[in-house]
Amino acid sequence: MRGAVIHAPGDVRFEAVDDPKIVHPTDAVIRTAVTCVCGSDLWPYRGAEPIGDPHPMGHEYVGFVEEVGPEVTSVKPGQFVVGSFATSDNTCVNCRNGFQSNCLHREFMSTCQAEYVRIPNAQGTLVATGEVPDEGFWPGLLAVSDVMGTGWWAADAAEVKPGSTAVVVGDGAVGLCGVIAAKEMGAQRIIAMSRHESRQKLAREFGATDIVTERGEEGVERIKELTGGIGADSVLECVGTAEAMRQALHAARPGGNVGFVGVPHEVAIDGQELFFSHVGLRGGPAPVRRYLPDLIDRVLTRRIAPGKVFDQTLPLDQVAEGYRAMDERRAIKTLLKP
Ligand SMILES: [Zn+2]
Ligand SMILES: [Zn+2]
């Protein structure tokens, strides 16, 4: 089969790779329905993370079960399935506590921009839809496998409550899905921080009530003006840079919470500052598996439409152009069709 392989910064190629096989009795192999490029794929693409030897890419997927190992009984060939970027057995103590992305048997997905994908821990990871959904639902379900699940976790970790004020730092796909999540959780005021017109428009469509275009301390000042001088109840940090984290911590009110889901790069937290701020901080890789049944249902009942974050669709063999478009911010998120 063929799939995306990164060779060096800026160098992603679509090339022949080994066909995935059942390696462990707990594996499944799926045929990719649609996959995509993630904002976090841009870290190695931009040279901000070491690449090492050439390796496959991609961790977001929906597809059709092709084959299952002997210990997989929860899904069967032909079913349409949604999974998470972090696989989990869904039975260990961390899974039972709702932190499937910290499963004792966790394996992170990393080969999904391909025609077929091996899914470890298939029994606990994959959730099948009742019937094969119309193709129009596939982008939304694909978003659920990472960015929507991650946006949901950001809002959950920031303890968004009905009637509250939420700030979303970051206008990438995760930030935009964070707006959806804050809306669904009942936030009354949702302030999106964005400088890009097309993203502001989508944020408003998803439920943002205010847009702040300023960044850094200026952005924080603007948030304070909008929140009676004290800051927001909940802040969703969906970027992962030091500046975004600083902005998030300063935009939360005393007693407020920051949910941070952008993979941190050179982020350092000042203990004294955090101590005196009274701001709660929680984050990490989203336990997407915990939210899958609920989010799949919200998509299939058309309550939410996170598939709108995909503003570019390409054939999978043009995956390199998908990376370029996202790197140059010509696309928010690129959907890839095998
Ligand atoms: Zn992702
Ligand atoms: Zn587990």
Side-chain angles (χ1 to χ4, degrees), residues 41-53:
D41 295 334
L42 296 180
W43 291 108
Y45 186 78
R46 288 173 172 160
E49 262 173 26
I51 291 169
D53 292 334

Side-chain angles (χ1 to χ4, degrees), residues 91-109:
T91 55
C92 77
V93 63
N94 289 343
C95 286
R96 292 200 308 277
N97 282 332
F99 285 84
Q100 288 91 338
S101 45
N102 222 316
C103 173
L104 296 174
H105 297 110
R106 172 183 70 185
E107 286 182 47
F108 283 111
M109 296 303 300

Side-chain angles (χ1 to χ4, degrees), residues 144-173:
V144 162
S145 81
D146 184 356
V147 288
M148 185 62 238
T150 297
W152 197 269
W153 163 234
D156 195 358
E159 300 188 16
V160 175
K161 293 187 175 69
S164 67
T165 295
V167 168
V168 181
V169 180
D171 62 0

Side-chain angles (χ1 to χ4, degrees), residues 85-240:
F85 62 88
T87 69
S88 53
D89 56 23
N90 216 22
T91 55
C92 77
V93 63
N94 289 343
C95 286
R96 292 200 308 277
N97 282 332
F99 285 84
Q100 288 91 338
S101 45
N102 222 316
C103 173
L104 296 174
H105 297 110
R106 172 183 70 185
E107 286 182 47
F108 283 111
M109 296 303 300
S110 61
T111 63
C112 298
Q113 289 157 2
E115 292 163 330
Y116 294 86
V117 185
R118 181 178 76 89
I119 313 286
N121 297 310
Q123 177 94 355
T125 299
L126 297 175
V127 176
T129 56
E131 293 161 9
V132 174
D134 282 348
E135 220 171 305
F137 286 113
W138 294 2
L141 294 170
L142 176 63
V144 162
S145 81
D146 184 356
V147 288
M148 185 62 238
T150 297
W152 197 269
W153 163 234
D156 195 358
E159 300 188 16
V160 175
K161 293 187 175 69
S164 67
T165 295
V167 168
V168 181
V169 180
D171 62 0
V174 171
L176 291 165
C177 288
V179 172
I180 296 178
K183 174 96 191 302
E184 289 293 292
M185 292 181 194
Q188 193 174 27
R189 194 158 193 197
I190 302 171
I191 305 167
M193 305 191 78
S194 171
R195 286 178 158 183
H196 302 86
E197 213 170 312
S198 58
R199 297 167 190 234
Q200 293 170 1
K201 199 164 150 263
L202 197 49
R204 285 210 186 267
E205 198 181 323
F206 284 162
T209 54
D210 303 82
I211 304 287
V212 167
T213 54
E214 293 88 346
R215 282 195 185 170
E217 285 312 302
E218 244 182 291
V220 171
E221 280 314 305
R222 193 74 196 99
I223 302 284
K224 294 251 167 92
E225 281 169 33
L226 293 168
T227 53
I230 58 165
D233 301 310
S234 297
V235 183
L236 288 62
E237 194 287 298
C238 307
V239 183

